[in-house]
Amino acid sequence: MQKKITLTEAEIPESWYNIVADMPNKPLPPLHPGTHEPIGPEMLMPLFPMELIKQEVTSDKWVGIPDEVREIYKIWRPTPMFRATGFEKLLGTSAKIYYKYEGVSPAGSHKPNTAVPQAYYNKQEGVKRITTETGAGQWGSALSFACQMFGIECDVYMVKASYEGKPYRKIMMNTWGANVYPSPSERTQAGRSILAKDPNSPGSLGIAISEAVELAMQADDTKYALGSVLNHVLMHQTVIGLEAIKQLEKAGDFPDIVVAPFGGGSNFAGIAFPFLRYNLEEGKSIRCIAAEPASCPKLTRGVFRYDLGDTVGMTPLLPMYTLGHNFIPAPIHAGGLRYHGAGAIVSQLLNDGLIEAQSFKQLECFDAGIKFAQSEGIIPAPEATHAIATVIKEAQRAKEEGTSPTILFNLCGHGHFDMGAYEQYLSGKLVEHEVTQDEILASLAELDTPLITNS
Ligand SMILES: *Cc1c(COP(=O)(O)O)cnc(C)c1O
């Protein structure tokens, strides 16, 4: 049996797949945060280059990948796929388990798949500087790398708690030439207003987004980039699933279940949407499962309604499964995936019953990650361990039901910068955590945004 399934450079996809073309119910439009009226593409022009705005709203099924982007993709793409023979043996499962490994990129995750085209289109349209936010540092490093490839300045607002706790991610960004600021900062109105209320604020993704967006709005030669949630970001990630289809074909297999961890939805979309196409077009019934933390469970315990993408209210309202834009996961949660909401496309698919979601507590996730590292060798990013926990659960279910499904999951990154979290787990300091219903209800009670009624 072949363990590693590779492709040639010529097999890097030539187009991204846009699932909007095949969705039975299209995602609802973004709304103006003040008037609650649908916004036109022109509202996004201060933030994004025109080509990305077009991609955000297009319903074309395929969007060509520029040659310049494919050239840079060749540094790490096509990424390998593995049959998880060691892991299967450890689990004693009759399921066949495959994983696509995105940790081979320069930044160590799937995020450069969209950072590179985003930097490219900004460069094409004369943008000199890109601002962004980062939590754990994965997106900030991916964008720093991509901006360096095209000679663009990159300013990263890094959640203060991570800035202080993960110095090596910051240095990685500096190495690629980016400026990194702890958020909340004194550099923006948004940051100053948060600091006035709480000088010791540890920051959050929502606050850092407000800062980066504010700065991009102020200067003509500066734009903003987001590493997840938005339609164009999800579409760029479909190179993962499109390659995976070819690799499984080579292995003579096809998945019954596709699994990925879920933060804002980009790596899930990346691996799952090209397979969902078979469900939507050909009536196949592949189960696509998004795996999220019990500490930030927007898909399994949030509500589907309009909410802000940030904390201060600089972004449009998006239709999403959300825990409320003020929701901040408990600091003891170590597994990432801390964003309060989900992208509009993924939210619509979940609402329509076309995808599934499961949540896992952190000890189960780290236990799964260590089992995986010890049987397959690769140390997964804490985010990815949510997918591995899901795979273990599905393998268990298969055993009970006497079935032998083929399971594919996205190993979206390595955990080399997350040894702090592994250290906590291995030394027994990591405690179990699940958000309470009262905490969720309190956060949702702060929302005054429009509800979505199912037509
Ligand atoms: C950013 C990130 C995630 C979460 O974001 P998605 O948009 O949901 O993919 C998950 N895993 C890794 C390794 C990441 O860097």
Side-chain angles (χ1 to χ4, degrees):
M1 187 199 321
Q2 194 188 359
K3 179 155 177 86
K4 182 173 178 177
I5 306 139
T6 54
L7 299 173
T8 63
E9 277 181 3
E11 291 172 291
I12 296 174
E14 291 181 359
S15 300
W16 294 296
Y17 169 58
N18 178 20
I19 197 170
V20 172
D22 291 327
M23 287 170 72
N25 297 315
K26 307 300 177 198
L28 297 165
L31 304 182
H32 189 281
T35 64
H36 294 179
E37 292 297 319
I39 61 161
E42 69 285 348
M43 270 244 352
L44 299 172
M45 282 170 61
L47 290 183
F48 301 108
M50 213 45 225
E51 182 56 32
L52 290 175
I53 295 173
K54 280 191 203 148
Q55 293 182 5
E56 187 62 22
V57 299
T58 186
S59 45
D60 290 354
K61 188 161 181 158
W62 300 98
V63 173
I65 305 177
D67 287 342
E68 293 87 340
V69 171
R70 283 183 87 244
E71 275 310 306
I72 296 179
Y73 275 173
K74 285 178 189 169
I75 297 174
W76 74 97
R77 306 209 71 85
T79 61
M81 174 183 282
F82 296 90
R83 172 87 184 262
T85 47
F87 192 50
E88 286 175 16
K89 200 162 150 213
L90 178 89
L91 298 180
T93 180
S94 56
K96 283 192 266 180
I97 303 172
Y98 293 89
Y99 57 97
K100 180 81 166 148
Y101 185 42
E102 290 293 311
V104 293
S105 80
S109 77
H110 63 286
K111 293 227 168 62
N113 296 333
T114 183
V116 170
Q118 289 196 50
Y120 168 77
Y121 293 120
N122 274 287
K123 181 72 181 182
Q124 288 291 99
E125 297 181 29
V127 173
K128 297 281 184 283
R129 179 187 304 271
I130 301 180
T131 62
T132 197
E133 73 291 332
T134 198
Q138 289 271 21
W139 169 243
S141 16
L143 191 68
S144 304
F145 154 71
C147 283
Q148 186 55 236
M149 291 292 109
F150 291 106
I152 303 174
E153 289 272 323
C154 184
D155 286 359
V156 181
Y157 286 78
M158 184 171 189
V159 175
K160 197 194 279 163
S162 310
Y163 183 92
E164 287 165 358
K166 294 188 134 194
Y168 294 144
R169 271 283 170 198
K170 170 187 173 283
I171 294 162
M172 194 176 191
M173 294 182 241
N174 293 146
T175 303
W176 278 313
N179 307 304
V180 186
Y181 305 103
S183 166
S185 78
E186 294 284 351
R187 300 172 59 87
T188 64
Q189 186 60 44
R192 288 189 294 271
S193 76
I194 299 281
L195 288 172
K197 279 182 246 156
D198 177 7
N200 296 318
S201 166
S204 72
L205 269 179
I207 295 169
I209 294 174
S210 301
E211 293 206 88
V213 167
E214 181 183 322
L215 289 165
M217 303 274 268
Q218 283 167 2
D220 283 346
D221 63 354
T222 302
K223 301 240 183 260
Y224 167 74
L226 191 62
S228 185
V229 175
L230 296 179
N231 301 352
H232 66 271
V233 179
L234 273 53
M235 185 181 74
H236 296 158
Q237 293 293 352
T238 58
V239 288
I240 304 172
L242 293 168
E243 285 179 7
I245 288 171
K246 293 183 198 171
Q247 283 162 309
L248 281 178
E249 218 168 81
K250 284 195 181 178
D253 228 326
F254 196 78
D256 301 295
I257 302 173
V258 177
V259 179
F262 194 98
S266 77
N267 92 88
F268 170 79
I271 196 157
F273 285 3
F275 287 99
L276 266 176
R277 184 179 153 223
Y278 291 99
N279 292 0
L280 298 171
E281 265 194 348
E282 296 175 17
K284 285 205 164 43
S285 48
I286 306 163
R287 292 175 57 209
C288 295
I289 308 175
E292 64 179 6
S295 299
C296 191
K298 58 244 170 188
L299 299 178
T300 52
R301 295 173 66 195
V303 293
F304 184 44
R305 69 180 290 174
Y306 275 97
D307 196 5
L308 292 166
D310 70 332
T311 300
V312 173
M314 314 275 307
T315 66
L317 293 167
L318 297 173
M320 54 163 84
Y321 275 87
T322 180
L323 295 167
H325 59 266
N326 290 325
F327 182 84
I328 300 180
I332 55 164
H333 167 64
L337 311 174
R338 307 173 70 91
Y339 190 61
H340 67 270
I345 293 177
V346 186
S347 295
Q348 188 65 50
L349 292 169
L350 183 66
N351 194 56
D352 291 345
L354 297 171
I355 60 171
E356 300 173 36
Q358 297 181 9
S359 77
F360 293 87
K361 292 192 226 172
Q362 60 180 356
L363 294 183
E364 184 175 354
C365 294
F366 277 92
D367 179 65
I370 286 185
K371 284 198 172 90
F372 184 83
Q374 294 185 351
S375 55
E376 291 293 317
I378 299 169
I379 301 178
E383 292 89 346
T385 65
H386 294 78
I388 301 171
T390 312
V391 170
I392 294 178
K393 188 171 162 192
E394 292 298 328
Q396 191 64 37
R397 183 208 300 258
K399 200 184 271 180
E400 284 156 19
E401 293 174 353
T403 56
S404 311
T406 296
I407 304 175
L408 168 67
F409 78 93
N410 201 14
L411 185 54
C412 52
H414 65 63
H416 298 180
F417 288 85
D418 303 286
M419 288 301 119
Y422 275 92
E423 195 274 333
Q424 277 188 312
Y425 177 76
L426 290 169
S427 63
K429 285 186 221 131
L430 202 66
V431 294
E432 199 61 302
H433 180 255
E434 180 167 25
V435 67
T436 67
Q437 197 58 20
D438 284 350
E439 287 167 323
I440 293 177
L441 291 176
S443 175
L444 290 174
E446 292 173 33
L447 293 185
D448 58 2
T449 50
L451 285 167
I452 297 165
T453 43
N454 285 316
S455 49

